[in-house]
Structures are given as structure tokens and as C-alpha cells.
Amino acid sequence: MSDVARLAGVSIKTVSRVVNDEPAVHPDTAERVMAAIEQLGFRRNLGARNLRRGSTTGTIGLIVEDVGNPFYSELNRAVERIATSFGRQVLTGSSEENSDRERELVLEFCARRVDGILVVPAGLQHGYLVPEMRAGTPVVFIDRPAGDIVADTVLVDNLGGTIEAVTHLAKHGHRRIAFLGDSPDIFTAAERLRGFREGCVRNGISYDESLVSMRTPTQEGIGDAVKRLLHGPDAATAVIAGNNRVAVHLLRALAHAEHRPAMVGFDDFELADLLDPPVTVVAHDVSALGHAAAELLFARVQGDQSPPRKVVLPVHLVARGSGEVAP
């Protein structure tokens, strides 16, 4: 600020008034100050300014699994919309499904004095957040609950959605249904597997462990599962993909198959409706998930002291063709 004042030929106090949009500065003087700021590349440290004033830093933190996954990109965009309406910016990081990385990001954001934290948890231990929450930093968990603390959580109906997928395939005559899920350590994957089991029971289908594959989705892994589950005399005639990444890997594995099984995916994904046949999915509104979580967070930021809430958003089956193929 001393450099700006010297170049503009004004006092430091005048520079301060200009950058803080205070009144009583002549327009010509303000123009000289702004020209000097531009010439010197001066930028305000908003965090320092806000902390000095005792106000917020104007930011919230969002930790997701992988910002490159379209699911989390859409979630991020939805959170940003709500944050913008509250005059906040969003700092985002990817945990890469690593609990240590998750903790590192959360504590880094807290050190930057964000106004609140939204977390898609990678681990099951979140006691490290208790001091931050007691100090006044609100935390909301998205898509999965916290492992060992009670906190606000926004989920989708994983159980009911998978039951609906099984029921849909059973109505079209399928009795041998395979389930390809993500790692069973992940809450959503475990809940969807539980829904698959429940769906089998409700539809009078014997649950067959040999028709289940639960592992981190890779092209090679899904390809191996397809060879094992969808060939031979007892092959599955239908398959449920446990999330959008599993579905994409599955479609690649089946690209040149002579006979394709019926397929239902959990989570919609880009171009699913343009494939041949279009992919039937259990869909939910990812934007609604981000909106609900962000709105809950800002309610806490603004002083809501009610007990922690658990919000479960609905899902619905979108029949497009792949899930309606007969055995």
C-alpha cells in the first residue's frame, strides 16, 4: 500500500479508502489510485482483511472422491451455485478415496479458516473433526455418513434404488441377476449390495454369492467379472452396475459381445440415453444432493443450532431399453 500511495501521490489512508470502497474520495483521486494498483499488480488479501475485521473468510471447503468424475463435477457445480448466492467461494479437493488425504485436505481448509466444510468421506474415522466443530466450523457429510461422529448428512436412497432395480429385472423374467459393485468398504457400495440382497428376497430369487463382484472398478477387473459371471450354463441373464464408473467399464467389456445381458445401472451418466440400447438406470438428482448439503451447511453458518440431521433424497428408475431385455 505504501508503494501504491507513493506512485499515486496520495496517503496510505486514501489507498485504504479506495480499495475498501469507502466514501469521501474524489473520483479523480480514486482513478489515480486504481491506475497505480493496476500498474504495480497490487492485490488485496481478502482473508487477512476479513479476519482483521472479525468477519468470515468468504470461503467453504468441499472434499470429494475425484473431481474428474462427472458425478462429483456436477456435485461441485451445485454447491458452487448455493455458495455464490451466499456470497462465498468454494475450495475443492479430491481425496482419491484415501482417508489420510481426506484428513489432510479437511485440516488444510480449516487452517485457512473456511466458514464450513462439505465432505464426501473416504474413511470411517472422523474424530479429528470434533475440535474444529466445537470451535464453530460446521461440517456436512455428503453421499456417505461419518464413520464415528454424529453430524449432518445428506444421502440418496441406495437401498431402495437397488431393490427397485432387482424388481424391474425380475418383472421382465430374470432369475439369474449379477451385481457388480465398488469396494465393499464404501458406504454406498455396501448399501447397494444390501439392496440387491433384499431385492432378491422380495422377488423370490435365491441370492447367489457367485453372481456378485465387489471391487474397485477398473477395466481389467470388470472384464474379468464379465467373463466369470456372464458365460457358461449358469450365466447371469441380467446385471446391475453399482455406480456410473462400473457401468462405463461394463459397457466397454460388453462392446463386442454377441449376446448382451439385460442391464440396469445405478447413477445416470452422460450419453446413457444415446447408446444402443439406451441404458436403463436408477437415477437421482446430483444437483439436488449438492444443493441440499450446501443449504444445510449455510443454515449452520447462519446460526442454526438444531440437532444433527440426516436427509435421504429419493431415486427413481428410468426405463430406456437395456433393462427391459428378456432372458
Side-chain angles (χ1 to χ4, degrees):
M1 291 181 71
S2 297
D3 293 340
V4 172
R6 188 178 304 111
L7 182 60
V10 299
S11 68
I12 293 177
K13 180 62 176 176
T14 298
V15 175
S16 176
R17 286 174 176 166
V18 171
V19 298
N20 289 298
D21 297 321
E22 294 180 9
V25 179
H26 192 279
D28 290 343
T29 303
E31 186 175 346
R32 285 207 319 276
V33 171
M34 295 305 296
I37 287 172
E38 184 68 24
Q39 182 177 338
L40 294 172
F42 173 82
R43 296 292 181 271
R44 288 180 294 176
N45 185 327
L46 295 177
R49 184 194 68 172
N50 290 334
L51 289 174
R52 185 169 63 250
R53 291 179 171 182
S55 59
T56 71
T57 60
T59 58
I60 63 169
L62 170 64
I63 293 92
V64 299
E65 177 192 347
D66 177 9
V67 74
N69 184 325
F71 175 91
Y72 293 114
S73 298
E74 187 172 349
L75 181 74
N76 192 119
R77 184 169 56 184
V79 170
E80 284 183 338
R81 289 195 189 104
I82 300 300
T84 299
S85 72
F86 282 91
R88 305 307 205 281
Q89 302 298 323
V90 181
L91 306 178
T92 307
S94 299
S95 69
E96 299 178 351
E97 208 61 72
N98 182 302
S99 58
D100 291 335
R101 174 64 175 161
E102 172 209 299
R103 174 174 177 155
E104 177 186 349
L105 284 168
V106 169
L107 294 181
E108 174 66 22
F109 288 161
C110 288
R112 293 174 183 272
R113 302 288 295 274
V114 294
D115 300 334
I117 296 281
L118 295 164
V119 188
V120 177
L124 298 175
Q125 297 180 339
H126 296 95
Y128 68 87
L129 271 168
V130 172
E132 307 297 338
M133 295 168 70
R134 286 176 177 166
T137 302
V139 179
V140 176
F141 289 84
I142 313 177
D143 199 41
R144 313 166 186 174
D148 55 357
I149 63 173
V150 178
D152 291 320
T153 308
V154 181
L155 311 171
V156 301
D157 187 6
N158 298 289
L159 183 72
T162 321
I163 291 173
E164 188 174 1
V166 176
T167 300
H168 184 75
L169 291 169
K171 285 181 178 178
H172 286 82
H174 295 279
R175 313 299 294 175
R176 299 282 294 170
I177 303 173
F179 181 82
L180 305 183
D182 208 325
S183 169
D185 295 334
I186 298 173
F187 171 81
T188 50
E191 283 294 285
R192 291 171 190 180
L193 176 60
R194 189 162 72 93
F196 176 68
R197 289 181 178 137
E198 179 66 24
C200 289
V201 171
R202 292 192 186 188
N203 289 280
I205 299 172
S206 297
Y207 174 74
D208 187 345
E209 191 73 36
S210 69
L211 293 180
V212 173
S213 176
M214 300 291 291
R215 59 194 297 184
T216 300
T218 63
Q219 192 58 60
E220 182 181 6
I222 297 298
D224 290 342
V226 166
K227 293 176 183 177
R228 177 172 61 86
L229 301 174
L230 303 178
H231 295 87
D234 293 325
T237 62
V239 59
I240 296 173
N243 63 31
N244 61 345
R245 289 182 300 171
V246 173
V248 171
H249 289 316
L250 176 60
L251 287 167
R252 287 200 176 106
L254 295 172
H256 303 293
E258 184 177 353
H259 300 291
R260 289 193 182 189
M263 174 184 171
V264 176
F266 202 120
D267 298 334
D268 207 351
F269 57 96
E270 191 174 5
L271 304 181
D273 57 330
L274 299 180
L275 298 173
D276 184 18
V279 180
T280 296
V281 296
V282 175
H284 56 92
D285 190 339
V286 181
S287 292
L289 183 67
H291 286 166
E295 286 171 349
L296 181 51
L297 182 74
F298 281 110
R300 299 302 190 189
V301 169
Q302 294 180 325
D304 184 349
Q305 297 294 321
S306 61
R309 303 177 201 167
K310 178 181 177 181
V311 178
V312 180
L313 301 180
V315 300
H316 62 283
L317 189 137
V318 181
R320 293 182 176 137
S322 69
E324 294 69 59
V325 177

